[in-house]
Amino acid sequence: NAGVTQTPKFQVLKTGQSMTLQCAQDMNHNSMYWYRQDPGMGLRLIYYSASEGTTDKGEVPNGYNVSRLNKREFSLRLESAAPSQTSVYFCATTKDGTGYTGELFFGEGSRLTVL
Amino acid sequence: TQLLEQSPQFLSIQEGENLTVYCNSSSVFSSLQWYRQEPGEGPVLLVTVVTGGEVKKLKRLTFQFGDARKDSSLHITAAQPGDTGLYLCAPENQAGTALIFGKGTTLSVSS
């Protein structure tokens, strides 16, 4: 049982290049999230999808787009990468939203460097 | 905008010592979760607190939710090297749709 799988685990891009981070979960969860983690900044929410077919902006959505492809998959796209997007990206899922019922299950992270 | 502060930012202690880390805000939280993250991995849930004044224990870890539900603390008794990691508090956002994370407390316990 893999849980939450992120690909790729490591990626180096040049400024202006585009790429997509993939996230897939086999937990049959409804809600999926993308966070970025930078030193001294904690985890910041980029986008989330409360259910299949819906997406919403989080704290830091600029420069990113997302697609909830189906219930299992939630991708994060950088259309024109910038050095400020160098970070570790985490995908997470919950069964039915957050709060007292909603434990977040995280993937292992994708480390992205933009030169 | 929810302002969330965790303190201290860094803590380095010897095995066997006790410690407390704090999570504070000016906003009222409907609920709050604590996570621990080890290097190279994603955060893992430790506990969820919901009721003001609530105290939960997880072995040597004691979590408290403030009476006004604006703050929380994590106390570790007799810390061990296995407690080393980044401790993150995460209340719900105001819309109740996602978790907002603090910057975390990095704990290092040496033997």
Side-chain angles (χ1 to χ4, degrees):
Chain A
N1 195 354
V4 182
T5 303
Q6 293 183 230
T7 55
K9 288 186 169 45
F10 299 93
Q11 184 73 50
V12 178
L13 291 177
K14 294 182 179 178
T15 297
Q17 287 185 319
S18 63
M19 77 157 299
T20 300
L21 298 176
Q22 306 285 355
C23 176
Q25 52 103 356
D26 61 5
M27 308 177 78
N28 200 32
H29 284 178
N30 291 310
S31 302
M32 299 186 73
Y33 308 80
W34 276 106
Y35 288 88
R36 60 177 288 174
Q37 186 172 36
D38 304 292
M41 296 297 292
L43 286 155
R44 292 182 291 171
L45 182 64
I46 306 171
Y47 271 93
Y48 63 100
S49 171
S51 61
E52 185 179 355
T54 68
T55 61
D56 287 285
K57 296 179 180 179
E59 302 169 83
V60 289
N62 291 344
Y64 305 95
N65 287 300
V66 290
S67 295
R68 182 73 183 266
L69 304 171
N70 47 55
K71 187 173 184 177
R72 291 186 64 250
E73 299 172 289
F74 188 37
S75 63
L76 179 71
R77 182 162 179 83
L78 287 69
E79 291 290 353
S80 179
S84 61
Q85 294 178 304
T86 294
S87 187
V88 181
Y89 291 85
F90 285 97
C91 176
T93 73
T94 65
K95 185 177 181 182
D96 288 307
T98 56
Y100 68 92
T101 60
E103 175 181 358
L104 276 175
F105 293 86
F106 284 85
E108 293 184 340
S110 297
R111 185 176 298 274
L112 175 66
T113 300
V114 183
L115 302 175
Chain B
T1 302
Q2 287 177 290
L3 295 178
L4 195 60
E5 292 187 2
Q6 286 193 248
S7 61
Q9 187 176 359
F10 299 99
L11 194 54
S12 182
I13 61 172
Q14 295 289 317
E15 183 176 4
E17 292 184 33
N18 301 331
L19 67 114
T20 302
V21 299
Y22 301 92
C23 175
N24 296 292
S25 175
S26 57
S27 301
V28 176
F29 306 136
S30 58
S31 65
L32 183 144
Q33 298 180 3
W34 283 93
Y35 287 79
R36 180 169 66 206
Q37 183 179 20
E38 298 186 11
E41 299 181 7
V44 175
L45 178 68
L46 295 173
V47 77
T48 301
V49 287
V50 179
T51 306
E54 182 176 7
V55 176
K56 283 192 172 180
K57 293 192 176 184
L58 184 65
K59 297 183 180 178
R60 293 175 293 98
L61 280 61
T62 301
F63 303 85
Q64 185 160 8
F65 202 15
D67 291 340
R69 292 184 289 127
K70 292 183 178 182
D71 56 87
S72 183
S73 64
L74 158 60
H75 181 80
I76 301 179
T77 302
Q80 298 178 1
D83 295 326
T84 294
L86 176 65
Y87 288 82
L88 297 156
C89 69
E92 268 200 309
N93 65 0
Q94 291 180 345
T97 52
L99 293 185
I100 303 299
F101 283 82
K103 294 180 181 181
T105 293
T106 299
L107 172 64
S108 175
V109 183
S110 53
S111 56

